[in-house]
Every structure is written in C-alpha cells, then in structure tokens.
Coordinates of all heavy atoms in Angstrom, one line a residue:
M1 N -42.8 84.5 -17.6 CA -43.5 83.6 -18.4 C -43.2 83.7 -19.8 O -42.9 84.8 -20.3 CB -45.1 83.7 -18.2 CG -45.5 83.3 -16.9 SD -47.3 83.2 -16.8 CE -47.8 84.8 -17.3
K2 N -43.2 82.6 -20.5 CA -42.8 82.6 -22.0 C -44.0 82.0 -22.7 O -44.6 80.9 -22.3 CB -41.6 81.7 -22.2 CG -40.3 82.3 -21.5 CD -39.7 83.3 -22.4 CE -38.4 83.7 -21.8 NZ -37.6 84.6 -22.7
L3 N -44.4 82.5 -23.9 CA -45.4 82.0 -24.7 C -44.8 80.9 -25.6 O -43.8 81.2 -26.3 CB -46.1 83.1 -25.5 CG -47.2 82.7 -26.4 CD1 -48.4 82.3 -25.5 CD2 -47.6 83.8 -27.3
L4 N -45.3 79.6 -25.5 CA -44.8 78.6 -26.4 C -45.4 78.7 -27.8 O -44.7 78.6 -28.8 CB -45.1 77.2 -25.8 CG -44.4 76.7 -24.6 CD1 -44.8 75.3 -24.3 CD2 -42.8 76.8 -24.9
C5 N -46.7 78.7 -27.8 CA -47.5 78.7 -29.1 C -48.9 79.0 -28.9 O -49.3 79.1 -27.7 CB -47.3 77.4 -29.9 SG -48.0 76.0 -29.0
T6 N -49.7 79.3 -29.9 CA -51.1 79.4 -29.7 C -51.7 78.1 -29.4 O -51.2 77.0 -29.7 CB -51.8 80.0 -30.9 OG1 -51.7 79.0 -32.0 CG2 -51.1 81.3 -31.5
G7 N -52.9 78.1 -28.7 CA -53.6 76.9 -28.4 C -53.8 76.0 -29.7 O -53.7 74.8 -29.6
A8 N -54.2 76.7 -30.7 CA -54.6 75.9 -32.0 C -53.3 75.2 -32.6 O -53.5 74.3 -33.4 CB -55.2 76.9 -33.0
E9 N -52.1 75.7 -32.2 CA -50.9 75.0 -32.7 C -50.5 73.7 -32.0 O -49.5 73.1 -32.4 CB -49.7 76.0 -32.7 CG -49.9 77.1 -33.7 CD -48.9 78.3 -33.6 OE1 -48.4 78.5 -32.4 OE2 -48.6 78.9 -34.6
L10 N -51.3 73.3 -31.0 CA -51.0 72.1 -30.4 C -52.3 71.3 -30.4 O -53.2 71.5 -29.5 CB -50.5 72.3 -29.0 CG -50.1 71.0 -28.2 CD1 -49.0 70.2 -28.9 CD2 -49.8 71.2 -26.8
A11 N -52.6 70.5 -31.4 CA -53.8 69.7 -31.5 C -53.9 68.6 -30.4 O -52.9 68.2 -29.8 CB -53.9 69.1 -32.8
D12 N -55.2 68.2 -30.2 CA -55.3 67.1 -29.2 C -54.6 65.9 -29.7 O -54.5 65.6 -30.8 CB -56.8 66.8 -29.0 CG -57.1 66.2 -27.6 OD1 -56.6 66.8 -26.6 OD2 -57.7 65.2 -27.5
A13 N -54.1 65.1 -28.7 CA -53.4 63.8 -29.0 C -52.1 64.1 -29.9 O -51.7 63.3 -30.7 CB -54.3 62.8 -29.6
S14 N -51.5 65.3 -29.7 CA -50.3 65.6 -30.5 C -49.2 66.2 -29.6 O -49.6 66.6 -28.4 CB -50.6 66.5 -31.7 OG -50.8 67.8 -31.2
S15 N -48.0 66.3 -30.1 CA -46.9 66.8 -29.2 C -46.1 67.7 -30.1 O -46.1 67.7 -31.4 CB -46.0 65.6 -28.8 OG -45.6 64.9 -29.9
R16 N -45.4 68.6 -29.5 CA -44.5 69.6 -30.1 C -43.2 69.7 -29.2 O -43.4 69.7 -28.0 CB -45.1 70.9 -30.4 CG -46.2 70.9 -31.5 CD -46.6 72.3 -31.8 NE -45.6 73.1 -32.3 CZ -45.6 74.4 -32.7 NH1 -46.8 74.9 -32.9 NH2 -44.6 75.0 -33.2
G17 N -42.1 70.0 -29.9 CA -41.0 70.3 -29.2 C -40.6 71.9 -29.3 O -41.0 72.5 -30.3
F18 N -40.0 72.4 -28.3 CA -39.7 73.8 -28.3 C -38.3 74.0 -27.7 O -37.8 73.2 -26.9 CB -40.7 74.6 -27.3 CG -42.1 74.5 -27.8 CD1 -42.9 73.5 -27.4 CD2 -42.6 75.4 -28.7 CE1 -44.2 73.3 -27.8 CE2 -43.8 75.3 -29.2 CZ -44.7 74.2 -28.7
D19 N -37.7 75.1 -28.1 CA -36.4 75.5 -27.5 C -36.7 76.9 -26.9 O -36.8 77.9 -27.8 CB -35.3 75.5 -28.6 CG -33.9 75.8 -27.9 OD1 -33.8 76.6 -27.0 OD2 -33.0 75.2 -28.4
V20 N -36.7 77.1 -25.6 CA -36.9 78.3 -25.0 C -35.6 78.8 -24.4 O -35.2 78.2 -23.3 CB -38.1 78.3 -24.0 CG1 -38.3 79.6 -23.4 CG2 -39.3 77.8 -24.7
D21 N -34.9 79.7 -24.9 CA -33.7 80.3 -24.4 C -32.7 79.1 -24.1 O -32.0 79.1 -23.1 CB -34.0 81.0 -23.1 CG -34.9 82.3 -23.3 OD1 -34.9 82.7 -24.4 OD2 -35.5 82.6 -22.4
G22 N -32.6 78.2 -25.0 CA -31.7 77.0 -24.9 C -32.2 75.9 -24.1 O -31.6 74.9 -24.0
Q23 N -33.4 76.0 -23.5 CA -33.9 75.0 -22.7 C -34.9 74.1 -23.6 O -35.9 74.7 -24.1 CB -34.7 75.4 -21.5 CG -35.1 74.3 -20.6 CD -35.5 74.8 -19.2 OE1 -35.6 76.1 -18.9 NE2 -35.8 73.9 -18.3
K24 N -34.7 72.9 -23.8 CA -35.5 72.0 -24.6 C -36.7 71.5 -23.9 O -36.6 70.9 -22.8 CB -34.7 70.9 -25.2 CG -33.6 71.4 -26.2 CD -32.9 70.2 -26.9 CE -32.0 70.7 -28.0 NZ -31.7 72.0 -28.1
L25 N -37.9 71.8 -24.4 CA -39.2 71.4 -23.8 C -40.0 70.5 -24.8 O -39.7 70.7 -26.0 CB -39.9 72.6 -23.4 CG -39.2 73.6 -22.6 CD1 -40.2 74.9 -22.3 CD2 -38.8 73.1 -21.2
L26 N -40.9 69.8 -24.2 CA -42.0 69.2 -25.1 C -43.3 69.5 -24.5 O -43.5 69.6 -23.2 CB -41.7 67.7 -25.2 CG -42.0 66.8 -24.0 CD1 -43.3 66.1 -24.1 CD2 -40.9 65.8 -23.7
A27 N -44.3 69.6 -25.3 CA -45.7 69.9 -24.9 C -46.5 68.9 -25.5 O -46.4 68.5 -26.7 CB -46.0 71.3 -25.3
V28 N -47.5 68.4 -24.8 CA -48.5 67.4 -25.3 C -49.9 67.8 -24.8 O -50.0 68.3 -23.7 CB -48.2 66.0 -24.6 CG1 -49.2 64.9 -25.2 CG2 -46.8 65.5 -24.8
R29 N -50.8 67.7 -25.8 CA -52.2 68.0 -25.4 C -53.0 66.6 -25.4 O -52.9 65.8 -26.3 CB -52.9 68.9 -26.3 CG -54.3 69.3 -25.9 CD -55.1 70.1 -26.8 NE -54.5 71.4 -27.2 CZ -54.6 72.5 -26.5 NH1 -55.3 72.5 -25.4 NH2 -54.1 73.6 -27.0
R30 N -53.7 66.4 -24.3 CA -54.5 65.2 -24.2 C -55.8 65.5 -23.5 O -55.8 66.1 -22.4 CB -53.8 64.1 -23.4 CG -54.5 62.8 -23.5 CD -53.7 61.7 -22.8 NE -54.2 60.4 -23.3 CZ -54.2 59.3 -22.5 NH1 -53.7 59.4 -21.3 NH2 -54.7 58.2 -23.0
N31 N -56.9 65.1 -24.2 CA -58.3 65.4 -23.7 C -58.4 66.8 -23.3 O -59.0 67.2 -22.3 CB -58.5 64.6 -22.5 CG -58.6 63.1 -22.8 OD1 -59.0 62.7 -23.9 ND2 -58.2 62.2 -21.9
G32 N -57.8 67.7 -24.2 CA -57.9 69.1 -24.1 C -56.9 69.8 -23.2 O -56.7 71.0 -23.3
R33 N -56.3 69.1 -22.3 CA -55.3 69.7 -21.4 C -53.9 69.6 -21.9 O -53.5 68.7 -22.6 CB -55.4 68.9 -20.0 CG -56.5 69.3 -19.1 CD -56.2 69.0 -17.7 NE -54.9 69.6 -17.2 CZ -54.4 69.4 -15.9 NH1 -55.2 68.6 -15.1 NH2 -53.3 69.9 -15.6
V34 N -53.1 70.6 -21.6 CA -51.8 70.7 -22.0 C -50.8 70.3 -20.9 O -51.0 70.7 -19.7 CB -51.4 72.1 -22.5 CG1 -49.9 72.3 -22.9 CG2 -52.3 72.5 -23.7
Y35 N -49.7 69.6 -21.2 CA -48.7 69.2 -20.3 C -47.4 69.5 -20.9 O -47.2 69.3 -22.1 CB -48.7 67.6 -20.0 CG -50.1 67.2 -19.5 CD1 -51.1 66.8 -20.4 CD2 -50.4 67.2 -18.2 CE1 -52.4 66.4 -20.0 CE2 -51.7 66.8 -17.7 CZ -52.7 66.4 -18.6 OH -53.9 66.0 -18.2
V36 N -46.5 70.1 -20.1 CA -45.2 70.4 -20.6 C -44.1 69.8 -19.7 O -44.2 69.9 -18.5 CB -45.0 72.0 -20.7 CG1 -43.6 72.4 -21.2 CG2 -46.1 72.6 -21.5
Y37 N -43.0 69.3 -20.4 CA -41.9 68.7 -19.6 C -40.7 69.1 -20.3 O -40.6 69.5 -21.4 CB -42.0 67.1 -19.7 CG -43.2 66.6 -19.1 CD1 -44.3 66.2 -19.9 CD2 -43.3 66.4 -17.7 CE1 -45.5 65.7 -19.2 CE2 -44.4 65.9 -17.1 CZ -45.5 65.5 -17.9 OH -46.7 65.0 -17.3
E38 N -39.5 69.0 -19.5 CA -38.2 69.1 -20.1 C -38.0 67.9 -21.1 O -38.4 66.8 -20.8 CB -37.1 69.0 -19.0 CG -36.8 70.3 -18.3 CD -35.7 70.1 -17.3 OE1 -34.9 69.1 -17.4 OE2 -35.6 70.9 -16.4
N39 N -37.4 68.3 -22.2 CA -37.2 67.2 -23.3 C -35.9 66.6 -22.9 O -34.8 66.8 -23.6 CB -37.2 67.8 -24.6 CG -36.9 66.8 -25.7 OD1 -36.9 65.6 -25.4 ND2 -36.6 67.3 -26.9
R40 N -35.9 65.7 -21.9 CA -34.7 65.1 -21.4 C -35.0 63.7 -20.8 O -35.8 63.7 -19.7 CB -34.0 66.0 -20.4 CG -32.7 65.5 -19.8 CD -32.0 66.5 -18.8 NE -30.8 66.1 -18.4 CZ -30.6 65.1 -17.5 NH1 -31.7 64.5 -16.9 NH2 -29.4 64.7 -17.2
C41 N -34.6 62.7 -21.3 CA -34.9 61.3 -20.8 C -34.1 61.1 -19.5 O -32.9 61.3 -19.5 CB -34.6 60.2 -21.8 SG -35.1 58.6 -21.2
P42 N -34.8 60.7 -18.4 CA -34.1 60.5 -17.2 C -33.1 59.3 -17.3 O -32.2 59.2 -16.4 CB -35.2 60.1 -16.2 CG -36.4 59.9 -16.9 CD -36.2 60.5 -18.3
H43 N -33.1 58.5 -18.3 CA -32.2 57.4 -18.5 C -30.9 57.8 -18.8 O -29.9 57.6 -18.2 CB -32.8 56.3 -19.5 CG -31.9 55.2 -19.7 ND1 -31.6 54.6 -20.9 CD2 -31.2 54.5 -18.8 CE1 -30.9 53.6 -20.7 NE2 -30.6 53.4 -19.4
R44 N -30.7 58.5 -20.0 CA -29.4 59.0 -20.4 C -29.3 60.5 -20.7 O -28.2 61.0 -21.1 CB -29.1 58.3 -21.8 CG -28.8 56.8 -21.7 CD -27.4 56.5 -21.2 NE -27.2 55.1 -20.8 CZ -27.0 54.1 -21.7 NH1 -26.9 54.4 -23.0 NH2 -26.8 52.9 -21.3
G45 N -30.3 61.2 -20.3 CA -30.3 62.6 -20.4 C -30.3 63.2 -21.8 O -30.0 64.3 -22.1
V46 N -30.8 62.4 -22.8 CA -30.9 62.8 -24.2 C -32.3 63.2 -24.5 O -33.3 63.0 -23.7 CB -30.5 61.6 -25.1 CG1 -29.1 61.2 -24.8 CG2 -31.4 60.5 -25.0
G47 N -32.5 63.9 -25.6 CA -33.8 64.3 -26.1 C -34.7 63.1 -26.4 O -34.1 62.0 -26.8
L48 N -36.0 63.2 -26.3 CA -36.8 62.0 -26.4 C -37.3 61.8 -27.9 O -37.7 60.6 -28.1 CB -38.1 62.3 -25.5 CG -37.8 62.3 -24.1 CD1 -39.0 63.1 -23.4 CD2 -37.6 61.0 -23.4
E49 N -37.4 62.7 -28.7 CA -38.2 62.5 -30.0 C -37.4 61.8 -31.0 O -36.1 61.8 -31.0 CB -38.6 63.9 -30.5 CG -37.5 64.7 -31.1 CD -36.8 65.6 -30.1 OE1 -36.4 65.1 -29.0 OE2 -36.5 66.8 -30.4
W50 N -38.1 61.0 -31.9 CA -37.5 60.2 -32.9 C -37.4 61.0 -34.2 O -36.6 60.8 -35.0 CB -38.2 58.9 -33.1 CG -39.7 59.0 -33.3 CD1 -40.7 59.2 -32.4 CD2 -40.4 58.9 -34.6 NE1 -41.9 59.2 -33.0 CE2 -41.8 59.0 -34.3 CE3 -40.0 58.7 -35.9 CZ2 -42.7 58.9 -35.3 CZ3 -40.9 58.5 -36.9 CH2 -42.3 58.7 -36.6
K51 N -38.3 62.1 -34.3 CA -38.2 63.1 -35.3 C -38.8 64.3 -34.8 O -39.6 64.2 -33.8 CB -38.7 62.6 -36.8 CG -40.1 62.3 -36.8 CD -40.4 61.8 -38.2 CE -41.9 61.9 -38.5 NZ -42.3 61.4 -39.8
P52 N -38.6 65.5 -35.4 CA -39.1 66.7 -34.8 C -40.6 66.6 -34.5 O -41.4 66.2 -35.3 CB -38.9 67.7 -35.9 CG -37.7 67.2 -36.6 CD -37.8 65.7 -36.7
D53 N -40.9 67.0 -33.2 CA -42.3 67.1 -32.8 C -43.0 65.7 -32.6 O -44.2 65.7 -32.4 CB -43.2 68.0 -33.6 CG -42.7 69.4 -33.7 OD1 -42.2 69.9 -32.7 OD2 -42.7 70.0 -34.8
Q54 N -42.2 64.7 -32.7 CA -42.8 63.3 -32.5 C -42.3 62.7 -31.1 O -41.3 62.1 -31.1 CB -42.4 62.4 -33.6 CG -42.8 62.9 -35.0 CD -44.3 63.0 -35.1 OE1 -45.1 62.0 -34.8 NE2 -44.8 64.1 -35.7
F55 N -43.2 62.9 -30.1 CA -42.8 62.4 -28.8 C -43.7 61.3 -28.3 O -43.5 60.8 -27.2 CB -42.9 63.6 -27.8 CG -41.9 64.7 -28.0 CD1 -42.2 65.8 -28.8 CD2 -40.7 64.6 -27.4 CE1 -41.3 66.8 -29.1 CE2 -39.7 65.6 -27.6 CZ -40.0 66.6 -28.4
L56 N -44.7 60.9 -29.0 CA -45.7 60.0 -28.5 C -45.5 58.6 -29.1 O -44.9 58.4 -30.2 CB -47.1 60.5 -28.9 CG -47.4 61.8 -28.2 CD1 -48.9 62.3 -28.7 CD2 -47.3 61.8 -26.7
D57 N -46.0 57.6 -28.4 CA -46.0 56.2 -28.9 C -47.1 56.1 -30.0 O -47.8 57.0 -30.3 CB -46.2 55.2 -27.8 CG -47.7 55.2 -27.3 OD1 -48.4 56.2 -27.5 OD2 -48.1 54.2 -26.7
P58 N -47.1 54.9 -30.7 CA -48.0 54.8 -31.9 C -49.5 55.1 -31.5 O -50.3 55.4 -32.4 CB -47.8 53.4 -32.4 CG -46.4 53.1 -32.0 CD -46.2 53.8 -30.7
S59 N -49.9 54.8 -30.2 CA -51.3 55.0 -29.9 C -51.6 56.4 -29.4 O -52.7 56.8 -29.0 CB -51.6 54.0 -28.7 OG -50.9 54.3 -27.5
N60 N -50.5 57.3 -29.4 CA -50.6 58.7 -28.9 C -51.1 58.8 -27.4 O -51.8 59.8 -27.1 CB -51.6 59.5 -29.8 CG -51.0 59.8 -31.2 OD1 -49.8 59.8 -31.4 ND2 -51.8 60.0 -32.2
S61 N -51.0 57.7 -26.7 CA -51.4 57.8 -25.3 C -50.3 57.7 -24.3 O -50.5 57.9 -23.1 CB -52.3 56.5 -25.0 OG -51.6 55.4 -25.2
L62 N -49.1 57.7 -24.7 CA -47.9 57.7 -23.8 C -46.8 58.5 -24.5 O -46.7 58.5 -25.7 CB -47.4 56.4 -23.5 CG -48.3 55.4 -22.7 CD1 -47.9 54.0 -22.8 CD2 -48.2 55.9 -21.2
I63 N -45.9 59.1 -23.7 CA -44.7 59.7 -24.3 C -43.6 58.7 -24.3 O -43.5 57.8 -23.4 CB -44.2 60.9 -23.3 CG1 -45.3 62.0 -23.3 CG2 -42.9 61.5 -23.8 CD1 -45.1 63.0 -22.1
Q64 N -42.9 58.6 -25.5 CA -42.0 57.6 -25.7 C -40.5 58.2 -25.9 O -40.4 59.1 -26.7 CB -42.4 56.7 -26.9 CG -41.5 55.5 -27.1 CD -42.1 54.6 -28.1 OE1 -42.7 55.0 -29.1 NE2 -42.0 53.3 -27.9
C65 N -39.6 57.5 -25.3 CA -38.2 57.9 -25.6 C -37.8 57.1 -26.9 O -37.8 55.9 -26.8 CB -37.3 57.7 -24.5 SG -35.6 58.0 -24.8
A66 N -37.3 57.8 -27.9 CA -36.8 57.0 -29.1 C -35.6 56.2 -28.9 O -35.3 55.2 -29.6 CB -36.6 58.0 -30.2
T67 N -34.7 56.5 -27.9 CA -33.5 55.9 -27.8 C -33.5 54.4 -27.3 O -33.0 53.5 -28.0 CB -32.5 56.7 -26.8 OG1 -32.5 58.0 -27.4 CG2 -31.1 56.1 -26.8
H68 N -34.3 54.2 -26.2 CA -34.4 52.8 -25.7 C -35.8 52.5 -25.4 O -36.1 51.5 -24.7 CB -33.6 52.6 -24.4 CG -32.1 52.9 -24.6 ND1 -31.5 54.1 -24.0 CD2 -31.2 52.4 -25.3 CE1 -30.3 54.1 -24.3 NE2 -30.0 53.2 -25.1
G69 N -36.8 53.3 -25.8 CA -38.2 53.0 -25.8 C -38.9 53.2 -24.5 O -40.0 52.7 -24.3
A70 N -38.3 53.9 -23.5 CA -39.0 54.2 -22.3 C -40.4 54.8 -22.5 O -40.5 55.7 -23.4 CB -38.2 55.1 -21.3
L71 N -41.4 54.5 -21.7 CA -42.8 55.0 -21.9 C -43.1 55.9 -20.6 O -42.8 55.4 -19.5 CB -43.7 54.0 -22.2 CG -43.5 53.1 -23.4 CD1 -44.4 51.9 -23.4 CD2 -43.9 54.0 -24.6
F72 N -43.7 57.0 -20.8 CA -44.0 57.9 -19.7 C -45.4 58.3 -19.9 O -46.0 58.5 -20.9 CB -43.2 59.2 -19.8 CG -41.7 59.0 -19.9 CD1 -41.1 58.8 -21.1 CD2 -40.9 59.0 -18.8 CE1 -39.7 58.5 -21.2 CE2 -39.5 58.9 -18.8 CZ -38.9 58.6 -20.0
L73 N -46.1 58.4 -18.7 CA -47.5 58.9 -18.6 C -47.5 60.4 -19.1 O -46.7 61.2 -18.6 CB -48.1 58.8 -17.2 CG -48.1 57.4 -16.6 CD1 -48.7 57.5 -15.2 CD2 -49.0 56.5 -17.5
I74 N -48.5 60.7 -19.9 CA -48.6 62.1 -20.4 C -49.0 63.0 -19.2 O -48.6 64.1 -19.1 CB -49.7 62.2 -21.5 CG1 -49.1 61.5 -22.8 CG2 -50.1 63.6 -21.8 CD1 -50.2 61.3 -23.9
E75 N -49.9 62.5 -18.3 CA -50.4 63.3 -17.2 C -49.4 63.7 -16.1 O -49.6 64.8 -15.6 CB -51.6 62.6 -16.6 CG -52.9 62.6 -17.5 CD -52.8 61.5 -18.5 OE1 -51.8 60.7 -18.5 OE2 -53.7 61.4 -19.3
D76 N -48.5 62.9 -15.8 CA -47.5 63.3 -14.8 C -46.1 63.0 -15.1 O -45.2 63.3 -14.3 CB -47.9 62.7 -13.4 CG -47.8 61.2 -13.3 OD1 -47.3 60.6 -14.3 OD2 -48.2 60.6 -12.3
G77 N -45.8 62.4 -16.2 CA -44.4 62.2 -16.7 C -43.7 61.0 -16.0 O -42.5 60.8 -16.3
E78 N -44.5 60.2 -15.3 CA -43.8 59.1 -14.7 C -43.5 58.0 -15.8 O -44.3 57.7 -16.6 CB -44.7 58.4 -13.6 CG -44.2 57.2 -13.0 CD -45.1 56.4 -12.1 OE1 -46.2 56.9 -11.9 OE2 -44.7 55.3 -11.6
C79 N -42.2 57.4 -15.6 CA -41.8 56.4 -16.5 C -42.5 55.1 -16.0 O -42.2 54.6 -14.9 CB -40.3 56.2 -16.5 SG -39.8 54.9 -17.7
V80 N -43.3 54.4 -16.9 CA -44.0 53.2 -16.5 C -43.4 52.0 -17.2 O -43.9 50.8 -16.9 CB -45.5 53.3 -16.8 CG1 -46.2 54.4 -15.9 CG2 -45.8 53.7 -18.3
A81 N -42.5 52.2 -18.1 CA -41.9 51.0 -18.7 C -40.5 51.4 -19.4 O -40.4 52.6 -19.8 CB -42.7 50.4 -19.8
G82 N -39.5 50.5 -19.3 CA -38.2 50.8 -19.8 C -37.2 51.0 -18.8 O -37.4 50.7 -17.6
P83 N -36.0 51.3 -19.3 CA -34.8 51.3 -18.3 C -34.9 52.3 -17.1 O -34.1 52.2 -16.2 CB -33.6 51.6 -19.3 CG -34.2 52.2 -20.5 CD -35.6 51.7 -20.6
C84 N -35.7 53.3 -17.3 CA -35.8 54.3 -16.2 C -37.1 54.2 -15.5 O -37.6 55.2 -14.9 CB -35.5 55.7 -16.7 SG -36.3 56.1 -18.2
A85 N -37.8 53.0 -15.5 CA -39.1 52.8 -14.8 C -39.0 53.4 -13.4 O -38.1 53.1 -12.7 CB -39.5 51.4 -14.8
G86 N -40.0 54.1 -13.0 CA -40.1 54.7 -11.7 C -39.6 56.1 -11.5 O -39.9 56.8 -10.6
Q87 N -38.7 56.5 -12.5 CA -38.3 57.9 -12.6 C -39.3 58.7 -13.4 O -40.3 58.2 -13.9 CB -36.9 58.0 -13.2 CG -35.8 57.3 -12.4 CD -34.4 57.4 -13.0 OE1 -33.9 56.5 -13.7 NE2 -33.8 58.6 -12.8
S88 N -39.0 60.0 -13.4 CA -40.0 60.9 -14.1 C -39.4 62.0 -14.9 O -38.2 62.4 -14.6 CB -40.9 61.6 -13.1 OG -41.7 60.7 -12.4
L89 N -40.1 62.4 -16.0 CA -39.7 63.6 -16.7 C -39.9 64.7 -15.7 O -40.6 64.7 -14.7 CB -40.6 63.8 -17.9 CG -40.6 62.6 -18.9 CD1 -41.7 62.9 -20.0 CD2 -39.2 62.5 -19.5
T90 N -39.2 65.9 -16.0 CA -39.3 67.1 -15.2 C -40.4 67.9 -15.7 O -40.5 68.4 -16.8 CB -38.0 67.8 -15.2 OG1 -36.9 67.0 -14.8 CG2 -38.0 69.1 -14.3
T91 N -41.4 68.2 -14.8 CA -42.6 68.9 -15.2 C -42.3 70.4 -15.2 O -41.5 71.0 -14.4 CB -43.7 68.7 -14.1 OG1 -44.0 67.4 -14.0 CG2 -44.9 69.5 -14.4
I92 N -42.8 71.0 -16.2 CA -42.7 72.5 -16.4 C -44.0 73.1 -16.1 O -45.0 72.7 -16.8 CB -42.2 72.9 -17.8 CG1 -40.8 72.2 -18.1 CG2 -42.1 74.4 -17.9 CD1 -39.7 72.7 -17.3
P93 N -44.2 74.0 -15.2 CA -45.5 74.7 -14.9 C -45.9 75.4 -16.2 O -45.2 76.1 -16.8 CB -45.2 75.6 -13.8 CG -43.9 75.2 -13.1 CD -43.1 74.5 -14.3
C94 N -47.2 75.2 -16.5 CA -47.8 75.8 -17.7 C -49.3 76.1 -17.4 O -49.9 75.6 -16.6 CB -47.7 74.9 -18.9 SG -48.6 73.4 -18.9
H95 N -49.7 77.0 -18.3 CA -51.2 77.3 -18.3 C -51.6 77.8 -19.7 O -50.6 78.3 -20.5 CB -51.6 78.3 -17.2 CG -51.3 79.7 -17.5 ND1 -50.1 80.2 -17.1 CD2 -52.0 80.7 -18.1 CE1 -50.1 81.5 -17.5 NE2 -51.2 81.8 -18.1
E96 N -52.8 77.7 -20.0 CA -53.3 78.2 -21.4 C -54.4 79.2 -21.2 O -55.2 79.1 -20.3 CB -53.9 76.9 -22.1 CG -54.3 77.2 -23.5 CD -54.7 75.9 -24.2 OE1 -54.9 74.9 -23.6 OE2 -54.7 76.0 -25.4
D97 N -54.3 80.3 -21.9 CA -55.4 81.3 -22.0 C -55.7 81.6 -23.4 O -55.2 81.0 -24.3 CB -54.9 82.5 -21.1 CG -53.7 83.2 -21.7 OD1 -53.4 83.0 -22.8 OD2 -53.1 84.0 -20.9
D98 N -56.4 82.8 -23.7 CA -56.8 83.1 -25.0 C -55.6 83.3 -26.0 O -55.7 83.3 -27.1 CB -57.7 84.4 -25.0 CG -59.0 84.0 -24.3 OD1 -59.3 82.9 -24.2 OD2 -59.7 85.0 -24.0
Q99 N -54.5 83.8 -25.4 CA -53.3 84.1 -26.2 C -52.5 82.8 -26.6 O -51.9 82.8 -27.6 CB -52.4 85.0 -25.4 CG -52.9 86.4 -25.4 CD -51.9 87.3 -24.5 OE1 -52.0 87.2 -23.3 NE2 -51.0 88.0 -25.2
G100 N -52.6 81.8 -25.7 CA -51.9 80.6 -26.1 C -51.4 79.9 -24.8 O -51.9 80.0 -23.7
I101 N -50.3 79.1 -25.0 CA -49.7 78.2 -24.0 C -48.5 78.8 -23.4 O -47.5 79.2 -24.1 CB -49.4 76.8 -24.5 CG1 -50.7 76.2 -25.1 CG2 -48.7 75.9 -23.5 CD1 -50.4 75.0 -26.0
W102 N -48.5 79.0 -22.1 CA -47.4 79.8 -21.4 C -46.7 78.7 -20.5 O -47.4 77.9 -19.9 CB -48.0 80.9 -20.5 CG -48.8 81.9 -21.3 CD1 -50.1 81.9 -21.6 CD2 -48.2 83.2 -21.7 NE1 -50.4 83.1 -22.3 CE2 -49.3 83.8 -22.4 CE3 -47.0 83.8 -21.6 CZ2 -49.1 85.1 -22.9 CZ3 -46.8 85.1 -22.2 CH2 -47.9 85.7 -22.8
V103 N -45.4 79.0 -20.4 CA -44.6 78.2 -19.4 C -43.9 79.1 -18.4 O -43.7 80.3 -18.7 CB -43.6 77.3 -20.1 CG1 -44.2 76.2 -20.8 CG2 -42.6 78.1 -21.0
T104 N -43.7 78.7 -17.3 CA -43.0 79.4 -16.2 C -41.6 78.6 -16.1 O -41.6 77.5 -15.6 CB -43.7 79.5 -14.9 OG1 -45.0 80.0 -15.1 CG2 -43.0 80.3 -13.9
L105 N -40.5 79.3 -16.4 CA -39.2 78.6 -16.4 C -38.4 79.1 -15.2 O -38.6 80.3 -14.8 CB -38.4 78.8 -17.6 CG -39.1 78.2 -18.9 CD1 -38.4 78.5 -20.2 CD2 -39.2 76.6 -18.7
Ligands
FES201 S1 -32.2 57.3 -23.2 FE1 -34.4 57.2 -23.1 S2 -34.8 55.2 -22.6 FE2 -32.6 55.3 -22.7

C-alpha cells in the first residue's frame, strides 16, 4: 500500500493528481468519500487534467477529460458523455484511515 496524502489534503468536491512510482493517478473526494482512478482517458490514453490537480467539470460533479471533453461519473468512473461513452476509467482500490488516503497498486 502507498500513502497518497493526508485526508485533509483532499477537500470535498476537489481533485488531486499523483505520481506513484511512475503511475499517474487521480483522487476525488465527493460527499466525504474518496475515489481513485488511473489518470488515463480511455479515449486516447492521455492524462485527463487541464491544469495540475484540475480533473472536475465546472460543477465539480463529474470527472472531465480536458482533451475532448469526455465526462465520467466520480463514483464508478463510467464515461457518460463524449467519444468514449460506455467505457470507464480504471479504478484503483483505496481506503482512508487516520493517517490518510492509501492506494493498493
Ligand atoms: S482523450 Fe479524453 S476525450 Fe479524447
């Protein structure tokens, strides 16, 4: 397991990018829960963010790919609009405890 950050370093309705041993990840917190995915759009295989740590649409309710605008559900990574609709981000198992947010790679 790898520690991404402390819980306080990922505010609700916000996102952050991470590089863990060369693997690019994104983490989002929504309604208190943390979700972690590979930072890789299923459309072209590129990173999703438009600037560092910015992975969400303007309403902070969906993950958005900056390249062609695909939108993904925060809760399960499913693409619900855009060129890769029906495909999904790759889920990274994670959990949070008193020390912070952990991922299993
Ligand atoms: S690369 Fe993400 S929508 Fe095209």
Side-chain angles (χ1 to χ4, degrees):
M1 286 193 303
K2 298 272 187 178
L3 185 67
L4 285 185
C5 63
T6 68
E9 287 172 330
L10 184 66
D12 205 53
S14 76
S15 57
R16 286 188 62 173
F18 298 91
D19 187 321
V20 179
D21 299 336
Q23 190 167 5
K24 291 188 175 8
L25 307 177
L26 71 103
V28 182
R29 186 190 295 280
R30 188 172 200 214
N31 296 328
R33 279 200 56 179
V34 177
Y35 305 88
V36 181
Y37 298 99
E38 276 185 17
N39 179 10
R40 184 178 183 282
C41 183
H43 181 220
R44 290 280 169 83
V46 299
L48 296 158
E49 71 273 47
W50 55 282
K51 63 181 196 180
D53 299 322
Q54 301 295 317
F55 292 91
L56 300 178
D57 75 336
S59 68
N60 289 335
S61 59
L62 293 161
I63 297 167
Q64 184 168 40
C65 177
T67 304
H68 308 109
L71 295 168
F72 304 87
L73 298 179
I74 291 173
E75 287 80 2
D76 65 6
E78 182 189 353
C79 180
V80 291
C84 45
Q87 295 182 259
S88 293
L89 301 174
T90 301
T91 302
I92 302 294
C94 67
H95 75 276
E96 186 171 15
D97 63 17
D98 290 347
Q99 288 175 278
I101 298 163
W102 299 85
V103 290
T104 305
L105 297 175

